[in-house]
C-alpha cells in the first residue's frame, strides 16, 4: 500500500491510500477520521452490485453502522435535479442525519463530484470520503476537493471546493470496469506526463500495452504517480487562484467543447480530453509556444494508449470555438488555453480566436493526411 499525502492548511490535509485489497480495509481507514459511527454510502446501482457488499462488510466489521443510497449516474444525470433527489434521500433516512455523519462517494467521477457537492452543502457541510471505482476518478476527480454539477451547456458550472477526509483507492475494482472506460482514464494519466513529468510520459509509452490490458500492478504504479503529481498541484494552489491548478485542465478547453457539442453522448470525458490535448498542442504550435516534437510525443503516447486523437467530422470548428468562450478559464469571453512550452512544462495563456481557428484547421489537415497514407 502506498500513502500519498495531500498537504493543505487549516485541518484540511488528508491522505490517499492506494493498493490492491484496500476496499477490505476501508473500515480501518475510517477509524480516526470519522466523527460518528454512522456512515452513508452514496453510489450508483452497477457499482453497488459489484462492490457495495464488500464496502458495507468492511465498515460494519470496523464497528460502523451503514446505510446505502443509490442514484443514477452518468453525465446526463449530473445536474441539480439529481442533487435534489440526493438531498431528498438523505432527508428521508431514519434516524435523521446529523452533522457528524460521514458520507462515502463510491463510484466514478460523476458520483464523486455529485456526492462531494452534496457533502459540501447538506446541513451546511458534512465530511465525506472518496472511494473511486474508475481510473479517471482515481487519478483526477477524487483528489483535490472539486465538487459540482453541470448547468445548461456548462460543465461543472455549479460547485464548491470541499476536500474529502481521505481517498481510498483499490485498483482491483478496475477489473470490472469496461475497457473503454479504462482507456479513457489513461488520457488523464498521460496529461500529468505532458504538464509535469516527461519521464512519466515515456514510461506510459513503454507500458502502454500492459496499461491497455488493465494489468493491475502497472495500473497501480501509474495511479500512484498520478496522485503524487496531482497532490503537488493541489497543495500549491488549492482554490485555483494562482493559475497553477489550471494546468490540470490541459486538453480540457477543446475537450469540454467537444463533449458539449456532442451532448455528452459520443465521447467519454477522457476521450474528449485526448483529442483536446492534441488540439491544444497544435494551437500551441500556431501560437509559437509548443515545439512540434511535443505534439508528436503527445500524439504517439495517446495512440499507444488506444485513445482517439482526431477531431470528428460533422462538428463545425466555429461551434467549438464559441463553446470555448464558456470555459471556466475564459476571461470576458476570451478563451484561455493551457499550452505546453516543452514536455513537462505548461503555461496558461490567452489565445486569439484566429490562432485557435488555425490550430483546429491544422488538426483537421492532420486527419486528412493520415487518411491519405
Ligand atoms: N480536474 C482538475 C482539478 O482538479 O483541478
Amino acid at each position: 500500500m502506498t500513502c500519498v499525502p495531500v498537504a493543505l492548511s487549516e485541518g484540511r490535509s488528508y491522505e490517499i491510500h492506494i493498493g490492491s485489497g484496500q476496499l477490505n480495509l476501508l473500515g480501518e481507514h475510517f477509524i480516526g477520521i470519522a466523527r460518528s459511527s454512522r456512515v452513508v454510502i452514496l453510489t450508483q446501482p452497477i457499482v453497488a452490485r459489484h462492490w457495495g457488499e464488500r464496502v458495507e462488510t468492511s465498515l460494519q466489521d470496523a464497528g460502523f453502522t451503514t446505510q446505502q443510497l443509490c442514484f443514477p449516474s452518468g453525465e446526463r444525470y449530473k445536474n441539480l435535479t439529481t442533487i435534489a433527489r440526493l438531498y431528498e434521500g438523505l432527508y428521508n433516512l431514519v434516524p435523521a442525519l446529523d452533522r457528524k455523519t460521514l458520507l462515502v462517494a463510491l463510484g466514478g467521477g460523476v458520483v464523486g463530484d455529485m456526492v462531494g457537492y452534496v457533502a459540501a452543502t447538506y446541513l451546511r457541510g458534512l465530511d465525506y470520503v472518496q472511494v473511486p471505482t474508475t481510473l479517471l476518478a482515481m487519478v483526477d476527480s477524487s483528489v483535490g476537493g472539486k465538487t459540482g454539477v453541470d448547468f445548461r451547456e456548462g460543465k461543472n458550472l455549479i460547485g464548491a471546493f470541499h476536500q474529502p477526509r481521505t481517498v481510498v483507492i483499490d485498483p482491483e475494482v478496475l477489473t470490472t470496469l469496461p475497457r473503454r472506460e479504462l482507456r479513457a482514464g489513461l488520457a488523464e494519466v498521460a496529461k500529468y506526463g505532458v504538464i509535469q513529468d516527461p519521464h512519466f510520459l515515456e514510461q506510459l509509452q513503454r507500458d502502454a500495452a500492459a496499461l491497455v490490458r488493465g494489468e493491475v500492478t502497472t495500473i497501480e504504479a501509474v495511479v500512484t504517480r498520478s496522485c503524487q503529481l496531482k497532490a503537488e498541484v493541489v497543495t500549491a494552489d488549492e482554490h485555483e487562484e494562482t493559475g497553477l491548478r489550471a494546468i490540470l485542465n490541459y486538453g480540457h478547453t477543446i475537450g469540454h467543447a467537444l463533449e458539449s457539442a456532442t451532448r455528452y453522448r459520443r465521447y467519454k470525458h477522457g476521450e474528449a480530453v485526448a483529442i483536446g490535448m492534441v488540439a491544444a498542442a497544435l494551437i500551441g504550435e500556431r501560437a509559437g509556444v509548443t515545439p512540434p516534437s511535443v505534439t508528436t510525443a503527445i500524439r504517439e503516447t495517446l495512440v499507444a494508449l488506444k485513445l482517439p486523437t482526431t477531431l470528428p467530422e460533422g462538428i463545425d470548428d466555429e461551434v467549438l470555438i464559441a463553446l470555448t468562450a464558456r470555459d471556466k478559464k475564459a476571461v470576458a469571453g476570451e478563451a484561455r488555453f493551457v499550452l505546453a512550452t516543452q514536455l513537462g512544462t505548461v503555461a496558461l495563456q490567452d489565445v486569439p480566436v484566429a490562432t485557435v481557428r488555425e490550430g483546429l484547421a491544422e488538426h483537421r489537415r492532420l486527419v486528412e493526411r493520415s487518411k491519405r497514407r
Side-chain angles (χ1 to χ4, degrees), residues 34-324:
R35 291 192 292 146
S36 127
S37 60
R38 185 168 180 198
V39 176
V40 179
I41 301 151
L42 294 108
T43 188
Q44 64 175 125
I46 182 137
V47 177
R49 245 190 338 271
H50 286 306
W51 307 109
E53 201 179 315
R54 191 174 305 186
V55 165
E56 292 217 51
T57 306
S58 167
L59 293 175
Q60 286 163 7
D61 286 351
F64 293 98
T65 54
T66 58
Q67 285 166 301
Q68 205 181 102
L69 278 182
C70 272
F71 63 101
S73 187
E75 201 69 42
R76 114 183 79 128
Y77 294 104
K78 194 180 180 188
N79 52 41
L80 291 172
T81 308
T82 311
I83 293 290
R85 282 180 61 181
L86 284 170
Y87 291 149
E88 198 75 43
L90 292 178
Y91 181 82
N92 288 329
L93 288 177
V94 179
L97 236 62
D98 66 55
R99 280 193 170 144
K100 291 188 173 163
T101 306
L102 184 67
L103 303 187
V104 178
L106 174 68
V110 175
V111 168
D113 284 5
M114 286 203 287
V115 175
Y117 186 66
V118 166
T121 48
Y122 195 70
L123 299 182
R124 294 211 179 92
L126 297 170
D127 288 344
Y128 76 114
V129 169
Q130 290 274 15
V131 184
T133 59
T134 64
L135 182 60
L136 186 108
M138 290 176 184
V139 298
D140 184 25
S141 54
S142 67
V143 176
K146 275 193 181 175
T147 73
V149 291
D150 303 335
F151 186 68
R152 308 251 177 172
E153 74 269 40
K155 190 148 161 126
N156 301 328
L157 214 54
I158 294 175
F161 286 100
H162 187 53
Q163 298 294 342
R165 296 298 314 278
T166 187
V167 182
V168 182
I169 299 178
D170 186 342
E172 269 179 36
V173 302
L174 299 177
T175 49
T176 56
L177 191 71
R179 278 299 141 94
R180 183 175 170 200
E181 199 83 55
L182 186 80
R183 288 197 301 270
L186 290 171
E188 295 281 1
V189 172
K191 178 194 77 181
Y192 292 112
V194 176
I195 65 174
Q196 284 166 283
D197 185 351
H199 302 298
F200 187 43
L201 200 73
E202 281 167 22
Q203 182 197 335
L204 294 176
Q205 270 220 35
R206 273 198 311 275
D207 292 344
L211 290 168
V212 170
R213 270 200 311 277
E215 256 179 44
V216 175
T217 43
T218 318
I219 298 256
E220 187 170 325
V222 303
V223 167
T224 304
R225 184 65 188 137
S226 300
C227 287
Q228 284 165 342
L229 290 166
K230 175 141 190 189
E232 272 175 29
V233 175
V234 172
T235 295
D237 183 20
E238 182 186 359
H239 296 120
E240 205 163 312
E241 284 160 338
T242 65
L244 180 63
R245 185 162 179 167
I247 70 172
L248 296 171
N249 286 322
Y250 185 78
H252 284 58
T253 309
I254 295 297
H256 282 163
L258 266 177
E259 283 183 281
S260 180
T262 53
R263 298 178 185 279
Y264 299 98
R265 295 215 170 100
R266 177 160 177 176
Y267 296 110
K268 301 267 165 212
H269 174 64
E271 293 169 344
V273 167
I275 299 170
M277 285 202 278
V278 177
L282 289 162
I283 291 165
E285 278 190 30
R286 287 283 147 172
V289 171
T290 305
S293 59
V294 169
T295 312
T296 306
I298 294 172
R299 267 185 75 208
E300 285 178 357
T301 309
L302 296 173
V303 169
L305 294 171
K306 306 257 182 281
L307 284 157
T309 55
T310 56
L311 285 170
E313 285 166 17
I315 292 175
D316 200 293
D317 289 351
E318 294 308 315
V319 171
L320 296 178
I321 289 170
L323 285 165
T324 61

